[in-house]
Amino acid sequence: MSSPIPPLPSVGDFIAAFERFVVVPPKRRGPSARVVLMPQGDPDVAARIATGECGRLRVSGRALVPYVRVLEAPGAPDVFEQIEQGLLDNLPDGFGRLRLPRYRLVRTFAQARSRERDPGVRARDLRDKCFVERRKTSVLLKLLRAISLADVPGMASWAWQPLRQLFEVLPRWLYGRRQQRLMMGKDGWFRRWAGIPDGRGDFFAQHEEVTGREADALLCALLGDLEDAVRRRRISPWVRRRRSRFVLVVPKAGAARSLTESVVEGFPRAVERTKSTAVALLAVGYQDEREAPQSFATATNTVDSWTPGQSTGRGRSVHVAVPPQDGRTDVEADSWFRSYPEINPGGRTPSAVAPRLEALALAVAGVVVLSLIAYGGMIWFPRAADTRCLGATVPGARSAPPGKTTGRSPKAVYQEALDTIKNQNDIADVAARVNHAMVRTVVYLGVPALADTWKDAIYSGAIPELRGIALAQGEFNGEAARVSDKVRLKVRVEDAGMRFSKAPEVADRLAREIRAEPSGAQQIMGVVGLAQSRPDTLKARDILAAANVPMVGTVATAEAMQRSDLYRQVAPDNRREARIAAAFARHGNLVEISPGRCVPARRAVVVADPEDTYSDNLSTRFVEQIPDARTIWYSAQPGKASERRVPPDDRTEWARTLSDMARIVCGRIKEDRRTVLYWAARQNEFAAFLDEFDGRAECNGRLTVLGGDDLTGVVVDDQKPSKRHPGVRLYYAAHVLPDGYPPNSMGRLFRQQYLDAYGDDDRWSDDGRAPLAWDAMRVLSTAVNTAYQDSHSSLLTRGMVESDLVKGVGGPNGIQGATGILAFANGGKVPVNKRLLILHDTSDGPEVSLECGALDSEEEKTSWGPGGAYDCPRDARDPGRA
């Protein structure tokens, strides 16, 4: 079949370039462009090219791209009527409905007439006439008109007058406001076109301006609407299928000063005003002396240069010289037309069914999402209104019976644990001498129990920690006695002094002893303990690290402890504890605002000792999570009157005495009842502070306290805050669950060992220091055994042990500890997502309000609160446990 386009030389390349310009995707488009065919002889040849191009745009009665053909003939509708109707008739399948709101408004507005002389009244009159025309095609406006009974004469209409304002006057006013925004928006073209300053002007007052330049206004409105048709409503399945430009074809030159000529002539300026990218105009015969016609070959290069552009600037234009047809057929052009008989819009074949199915799927998905949101709202709103005070959220948890203090002194109880360790050391020596068992030494560096009173002994934590070390030694040496590839451990107890004051001296002595060991005869495999984050503890850590001694901390939590390559710990650090505590304060109903009614905290007051590494670090991390918190610095140590350290900002202040602290805390609570006190200081002054606070009449003893892990269960049990201070609600962090709640699998083993050794009424059965010490020994023992099994040699070194600690004992899944999973990331110093609890103190003992972290193999508590309402904070590093 021959092509309707004359096969002139290079015309095929030109048509291909023009069609590439038409089908370029929206995101890669440059400005709209005008292409004018200039006859150089017979004008019919250029007209045949334009008409033939229309044949390529519509094949078998189906438009491949949206286009319109404009005819200049007597009696034909004007050019804009032809464009509007032609576009509606020549849309591809799946294009959807074409809306032209600005064009139809401008056309109606230009044709409207008003006899009113007052400018304001005239503008409203013209608005009403445009509204009446719009109502003729709007089902909704027709319905509102019918409801208003405006066309019904008599009493019925008069009686309906109040609601007529709603159904007739209000829609008219809203219509005017919407058209005002549509046409006078600051980013629209009309304000610039009419020369109206920003923030001023009424569109319906611009009637003379529009009627004076009607053709230009209609062209700009049309281009703006066509641009919106492919740029807006990206969620619409119809809009996303609109991949091609609109093509306007004018196959015959209009008469001088005709509307057709004005449209073709004004097209580039209208493109510039509207920033149009969605239209390609192909016209015939328009004369412009400023542009020299180009050959088909040159014009091809020109049109191709437009295709990659993405700017929205000045409208582009090219005039193409169309030579007369001499009767000969250009073989190359004829071959191209035969190979490509129609435009290729790219993508899939247009379908009118596909967007409908997609729209249905989106509607169904929307209904599902809205239903889920509504369902979530139904669940959430009752919870948001829930003001029940947060107590036990772990079912069945209860504390152990109150512990007893025996008639023996603390020194005697402490010595009992020392004797247990000495006996186990003797057994290991006998095994080494008789059975040639592999025996190595672990140093425990901790505080002693030297006090004569139980109060000081309870607060020091020396007894439960040493008991945990003794129980771990017995358990692991018992395993080594049953198999041949494990190492028996002797424990050497070193006195670090109260508050670890002697720790640097002991570390220095150990370092000299280690350096004096004969080559290849390393006996000390590491150090456990280092239980307090104090300056002397840090000095001891650095001395041991310089001697290449691996260290595993027990209950120390300050992040400064981790600044050594040879140190790691089994307790979660202050960063994790503060994140969990802050989440608990923000979401949990812990602040009592009236009897039995509690709400989450809105503000916080933090008590901290800036001279204490642990306290300073914990308070800083908590304030990072709650920026509105106020901090009170207090140091009770003689000689540390901390005026030397200036508060960093106006949200931090000093308290010289506990009475001063109580006064400040009470003032903050009076400012906002929803204030929680976060006790990041040590345990020693807590009971005395509560006594001072109770003495202040203005707060009536009502206080909510959230304490750090230094307020252990045995300390709380000794001070009995819930009994002695009825107005205090106390929550505090802990590392183990109360005795009555089933622990994890390794925790059950430890608890049974402790029960067998010390009875079920021991004071420390709920204390976390004993199982943490047990876990620290387990980490170091596992590293020693792994190093020994890998080397198969008696030349076991600390470097081999440290290498296994660096890799993470137990691999990425870690090992099971009495306090939870101990999973160290490669090179990590703290177990990832280590288990932590927040306990609520009651007159009957503690109950579990929060449990977060890795509990057991493949079991992790990831939510807390009633019904698991809130997510547990998780560490950034995750070893990827399977």
Side-chain angles (χ1 to χ4, degrees):
M1 182 179 71
S2 61
S3 169
I5 298 179
L8 301 172
S10 299
V11 71
D13 294 337
F14 168 73
I15 293 297
F18 177 76
E19 292 178 355
R20 283 194 295 270
F21 178 78
V22 170
V23 301
V24 67
K27 291 184 179 179
R28 296 178 53 202
R29 288 177 183 165
S32 299
R34 179 186 68 181
V35 178
V36 181
L37 303 178
M38 298 298 299
Q40 301 299 301
D42 184 0
D44 185 57
V45 178
R48 286 170 56 195
I49 293 176
T51 303
E53 179 61 22
C54 291
R56 294 175 58 81
L57 303 178
R58 186 181 184 91
V59 177
S60 301
R62 178 171 57 90
L64 303 180
V65 299
Y67 81 98
V68 62
R69 180 184 179 190
V70 180
L71 296 176
E72 181 77 17
D78 70 54
V79 60
F80 288 107
E81 291 183 24
Q82 292 188 56
I83 291 175
E84 180 182 1
Q85 189 59 45
L87 287 176
L88 297 178
D89 293 340
N90 294 303
L91 296 176
D93 290 340
F95 185 91
R97 181 182 176 187
L98 177 63
R99 294 177 174 85
L100 303 171
R102 293 181 181 84
Y103 165 77
R104 286 169 178 156
L105 173 62
V106 172
R107 191 169 184 88
T108 302
F109 184 56
Q111 294 173 354
R113 296 292 180 266
S114 176
R115 296 181 179 181
E116 301 292 342
R117 295 185 179 275
D118 181 84
V121 177
R122 178 182 175 85
R124 287 194 298 272
D125 184 45
L126 291 171
R127 178 206 66 182
D128 294 344
K129 293 182 183 301
C130 292
F131 174 74
V132 170
E133 289 299 318
R134 177 69 183 95
R135 189 166 55 197
K136 293 178 180 178
T137 57
S138 171
V139 176
L140 176 60
L141 294 181
K142 289 179 182 178
L143 178 62
L144 293 177
R145 174 74 174 182
I147 295 174
S148 71
L149 300 180
D151 298 326
V152 178
M155 183 60 69
S157 179
W158 177 85
W160 201 252
Q161 186 66 25
L163 289 181
R164 181 184 176 188
Q165 303 294 318
L166 178 64
F167 296 111
E168 170 68 14
V169 178
L170 180 60
R172 186 168 58 226
W173 181 83
L174 291 175
Y175 168 83
R177 297 293 298 174
R178 185 174 184 275
Q179 305 312 311
Q180 178 75 7
R181 289 194 304 269
L182 184 69
M183 298 302 298
M184 301 295 284
K186 63 179 181 179
D187 296 327
W189 60 270
F190 186 83
R191 186 181 294 278
R192 297 188 302 272
W193 179 87
I196 302 172
D198 289 347
R200 301 180 183 177
D202 179 1
F203 168 73
F204 292 101
Q206 309 301 318
H207 190 253
E208 287 79 5
E209 187 71 23
V210 172
T211 55
R213 295 190 289 163
E214 181 178 352
D216 194 21
L218 287 172
L219 180 58
C220 288
L222 178 66
L223 294 184
D225 286 339
L226 295 182
E227 186 71 17
D228 288 348
V230 296
R231 283 200 173 190
R232 294 185 177 177
R233 302 180 300 278
R234 289 300 182 188
I235 195 173
S236 166
W238 289 277
V239 173
R240 284 188 286 103
R241 285 170 169 78
R242 298 172 185 176
R243 309 286 297 170
S244 304
R245 301 182 199 252
F246 295 88
V247 182
L248 307 183
V249 181
V250 184
K252 184 177 180 181
R257 293 186 295 277
S258 66
L259 185 57
T260 304
E261 183 188 54
S262 66
V263 168
V264 177
E265 180 181 8
F267 185 83
R269 291 193 303 274
V271 168
E272 185 175 353
R273 290 192 181 104
T274 60
K275 299 181 181 180
S276 169
T277 65
V279 181
L281 173 65
L282 179 63
V284 174
Y286 169 70
Q287 299 288 340
D288 190 342
E289 297 178 355
R290 293 171 296 180
E291 294 193 37
Q294 302 177 10
S295 66
F296 280 128
T298 305
T300 298
N301 294 332
T302 300
V303 175
D304 274 336
S305 69
W306 298 340
T307 302
Q310 294 183 355
S311 64
T312 57
R314 190 169 183 176
R316 293 161 172 171
S317 179
V318 64
H319 282 56
V320 186
V322 180
Q325 188 174 10
D326 57 5
R328 290 181 296 178
T329 298
D330 184 80
V331 177
E332 183 177 355
D334 185 64
S335 175
W336 187 86
F337 285 125
R338 289 179 182 275
S339 301
Y340 303 98
E342 60 190 47
I343 190 173
N344 179 18
R348 300 177 180 177
T349 303
S351 169
V353 177
R356 291 191 178 96
L357 293 177
E358 186 176 337
L360 178 62
L362 287 174
V364 172
V367 170
V368 172
V369 170
L370 290 176
S371 300
L372 292 175
I373 292 174
Y375 177 73
M378 293 174 62
I379 296 177
W380 184 83
F381 277 113
R383 181 179 301 153
D386 187 1
T387 58
R388 290 173 296 176
C389 295
L390 185 63
T393 58
V394 177
R398 65 184 184 280
S399 65
K404 299 178 181 178
T405 52
T406 64
R408 294 176 297 166
S409 70
K411 293 180 183 179
V413 177
Y414 184 78
Q415 186 62 45
E416 180 185 71
L418 283 175
D419 292 342
T420 301
I421 292 174
K422 182 180 182 302
N423 292 337
Q424 293 175 162
N425 289 345
D426 292 341
I427 294 173
D429 285 336
V430 171
R433 189 170 54 251
V434 175
N435 301 325
H436 304 288
M438 173 65 77
V439 178
R440 289 293 183 266
T441 299
V442 170
V443 176
Y444 166 65
L445 185 59
V447 299
L450 301 177
D452 293 323
T453 63
W454 274 104
K455 179 178 180 180
D456 292 335
I458 287 172
Y459 288 177
S460 73
I463 293 174
E465 189 160 282
L466 193 63
R467 284 179 170 182
I469 296 293
L471 290 174
Q473 181 189 21
E475 170 66 20
F476 305 147
N477 283 357
E479 294 177 4
R482 294 189 292 270
V483 295
S484 60
D485 61 346
K486 288 192 174 183
V487 180
R488 296 180 189 233
L489 295 178
K490 295 171 61 179
V491 175
R492 176 173 161 184
V493 179
E494 292 286 354
D495 178 4
M498 298 308 294
R499 301 179 182 273
F500 274 71
S501 58
K502 297 180 182 179
E505 176 187 343
V506 174
D508 188 59
R509 177 161 42 82
L510 284 173
R512 290 197 305 271
E513 178 183 335
I514 286 170
R515 294 189 181 100
E517 286 180 336
S519 177
Q522 295 184 1
Q523 292 298 316
I524 297 176
M525 293 291 100
V527 172
V528 295
L530 302 165
Q532 296 180 13
S533 309
R534 299 185 184 275
D536 285 335
T537 316
L538 298 176
K539 292 178 184 178
R541 178 207 62 189
D542 293 339
I543 294 171
L544 293 171
N548 296 318
V549 179
M551 292 165 280
V552 182
T554 52
V555 297
T557 57
E559 293 172 84
M561 292 293 294
Q562 302 171 35
R563 297 169 189 162
S564 171
D565 292 338
L566 284 91
Y567 174 86
R568 47 205 41 84
Q569 64 191 50
V570 293
D573 61 14
N574 284 342
R575 180 194 296 268
R576 176 168 175 78
E577 181 174 326
R579 290 178 64 207
I580 292 175
F584 183 78
R586 287 195 304 265
H587 301 299
N589 284 351
L590 68 162
V591 179
E592 192 171 30
I593 56 176
S594 62
R597 295 183 64 245
C598 293
V599 292
R602 188 159 50 201
R603 294 184 181 179
V605 178
V606 182
V607 172
D609 182 355
E611 307 296 338
D612 184 343
T613 304
Y614 156 81
S615 179
D616 188 46
N617 177 228
L618 181 60
S619 64
T620 300
R621 288 303 188 188
F622 185 82
V623 171
E624 287 177 357
Q625 300 296 319
I626 303 183
D628 197 34
R630 305 293 294 261
T631 303
I632 301 173
W633 278 351
Y634 174 79
S635 180
Q637 291 302 306
K640 289 188 177 179
S642 302
E643 290 84 358
R644 295 173 302 175
R645 183 169 175 183
V646 179
D649 51 46
D650 60 358
R651 307 194 70 79
T652 303
E653 57 188 316
W654 280 104
R656 297 179 181 274
T657 64
L658 291 175
S659 177
D660 197 20
M661 182 194 302
R663 175 185 57 80
I664 297 172
V665 172
C666 184
R668 300 302 178 203
I669 294 175
K670 289 178 65 178
E671 290 176 5
D672 190 339
R673 184 70 188 88
R674 294 176 59 174
T675 298
V676 64
L677 171 64
Y678 186 66
W679 190 269
R682 296 286 181 176
Q683 55 189 283
N684 309 65
E685 309 296 331
F686 183 62
F689 162 76
L690 293 181
D691 290 338
E692 291 285 349
F693 188 84
D694 271 357
R696 305 199 67 84
E698 59 265 37
C699 281
N700 200 27
R702 301 184 67 82
L703 176 67
T704 300
V705 182
L706 179 56
D709 65 278
D710 200 60
L711 291 180
T712 62
V714 68
V715 171
V716 173
D717 186 47
D718 181 70
Q719 296 183 1
K720 298 179 175 60
S722 295
K723 290 183 178 179
R724 295 178 56 192
H725 308 279
V728 173
R729 293 184 61 83
L730 172 63
Y731 301 85
Y732 60 96
H735 300 290
V736 294
L737 288 162
D739 181 68
Y741 186 78
N744 63 343
S745 56
M746 196 59 66
R748 280 190 287 272
L749 172 62
F750 168 79
R751 185 161 289 174
Q752 188 59 50
Q753 290 179 353
Y754 197 94
L755 178 66
D756 294 342
Y758 305 111
D760 60 358
D761 60 352
D762 180 76
R763 299 207 64 166
W764 292 278
S765 59
D766 277 352
D767 192 272
R769 287 170 290 194
L772 282 172
W774 197 88
D775 282 351
M777 279 289 291
R778 180 167 175 78
V779 169
L780 188 56
S781 173
T782 302
V784 171
N785 285 319
T786 303
Y788 176 58
Q789 292 160 4
D790 290 344
S791 66
H792 300 289
S793 169
S794 61
L795 296 178
L796 185 60
T797 67
R798 288 182 294 276
M800 297 163 60
V801 174
E802 173 62 19
S803 176
D804 193 66
L805 289 171
V806 169
K807 291 185 291 186
V809 290
N813 292 326
I815 59 176
Q816 293 185 357
T819 59
I821 293 297
L822 307 170
F824 295 85
N826 191 17
K829 306 299 180 63
V830 183
V832 178
N833 295 321
K834 181 65 196 307
R835 183 195 200 189
L836 187 73
L837 314 160
I838 290 183
L839 306 181
H840 174 222
D841 182 53
T842 71
S843 57
D844 297 325
E847 57 187 10
V848 182
S849 294
L850 174 148
E851 180 182 5
C852 286
L855 172 66
D856 219 331
S857 178
E858 309 223 357
E859 182 179 357
E860 179 181 345
K861 299 295 184 180
T862 58
S863 62
W864 65 276
Y870 308 109
D871 293 334
C872 288
R874 304 189 78 248
D875 296 338
R877 295 173 298 150
D878 194 331
R881 295 195 326 275

